[in-house]
Amino acid sequence: MKILAFDTSGGSFSAALCEKGRVLAEETIITNKTHARHVMPVIDRVLSLAGIEISELDLIAVSRGPGSFTGLRIGFGVAKGISYALSLPVVGVSTLDALVWPFRDSAKSACAIVDARRGAVYTAKYLFSDGVICDKTDEMVCSPEQAVKNAEDCDLFCGSGASAYIGRMEAALNKKIVPLNIESVINASDIAFLAAGKTLNNDGSDPSAVLPVYLRRSEAEINFEIRNPSV
């Protein structure tokens, strides 16, 4: 199965072409520019490097969030556009799952903490067994303090939220924390591998059924409410 996967949920953008558990090509960039400018050029380069025509794809995998509202909308727009054009299934993969996936063999438990701005974080706690996720708490948006208190027994913490609020987290736990993957860089290949597992469970979906997960209202909605408290 040839899987084109990409992540637009945060400050980095990654695209990969994977087949049978192998990474055929992958490119990851970190930029302050909108992902809309480079999504298709990077995807084109990845396909070219892998020597795969877009018509040969079997599955599209995309990060479903939580994360940047604008980034997720861009990612889903591209994923669904390709899917409808080629009649391909789409699988949405949790941003938090992809963030902790590289550490599945090195920890019994992990907590993903991604900066949600305005002093909040997106988070979930994971338990691993034999290199796979065997248990996961509900994804939630909360304060950094609540996130670490919910996961104080974790072996590791990772994500941009762990970096941004390290002082508040250490004060809440009264101990030192060494966060990993502090830039929340997500490898598209990890999204592809997680998506492949979902398809084994028949989770591949019609693109219209795959939706982004925001967990909270957008900045525009929050700002509107602040400016118009009586509305």
Side-chain angles (χ1 to χ4, degrees), residues 30-68:
I30 300 176
T31 175
N32 293 323
K33 297 181 180 179
T34 176
H35 293 316
R37 295 188 178 187
H38 49 254
V39 170
M40 290 312 301
V42 172
I43 287 176
D44 286 341
R45 285 199 296 273
V46 166
L47 289 169
S48 178
L49 287 169
I52 300 295
E53 297 292 334
I54 195 169
S55 59
E56 298 179 66
L57 296 175
D58 299 300
L59 179 71
I60 305 298
V62 62
S63 53
R64 63 160 176 78
S68 160

Side-chain angles (χ1 to χ4, degrees), residues 9 15 20 32 51 61 72 79 83 91 116-117 171-172 190 194 205 211 226:
S9 64
K20 297 179 181 180
N32 293 323
L72 292 176
S83 173
V91 170
R117 301 185 182 278
D190 291 329
L194 286 163
S205 301
L211 300 172
I226 292 173

Side-chain angles (χ1 to χ4, degrees), residues 217-231:
R217 294 174 300 160
S218 69
E219 292 287 317
E221 292 173 311
I222 295 172
N223 290 333
F224 178 84
E225 186 175 277
I226 292 173
R227 292 193 300 267
N228 302 275
S230 61
V231 175

Side-chain angles (χ1 to χ4, degrees), residues 6 60 75-85 90 206-212:
F6 48 91
I60 305 298
F76 269 77
V78 173
K80 292 189 176 187
I82 297 174
S83 173
Y84 283 126
V90 175
D206 181 289
S208 63
V210 182
L211 300 172

Side-chain angles (χ1 to χ4, degrees), residues 124-136:
K125 176 184 173 181
Y126 297 79
L127 291 178
F128 298 104
S129 178
D130 296 325
V132 298
I133 297 170
C134 62
D135 192 30
K136 173 187 175 182

Side-chain angles (χ1 to χ4, degrees), residues 6-14 33-36 38-39 60-81 90-98 114-116 122 139 184 186 191 207 210-219:
F6 48 91
D7 167 62
T8 58
S9 64
S12 64
F13 170 70
S14 181
K33 297 181 180 179
T34 176
H35 293 316
H38 49 254
V39 170
I60 305 298
V62 62
S63 53
R64 63 160 176 78
S68 160
F69 281 67
T70 300
L72 292 176
R73 287 167 181 157
I74 292 170
F76 269 77
V78 173
K80 292 189 176 187
V90 175
V91 170
V93 172
S94 165
T95 304
L96 302 179
D97 288 6
V114 174
D115 189 3
Y122 302 118
E139 296 180 356
S184 281
I186 293 173
I191 292 175
V210 182
L211 300 172
V213 173
Y214 296 123
L215 292 185
R216 66 182 296 178
R217 294 174 300 160
S218 69
E219 292 287 317

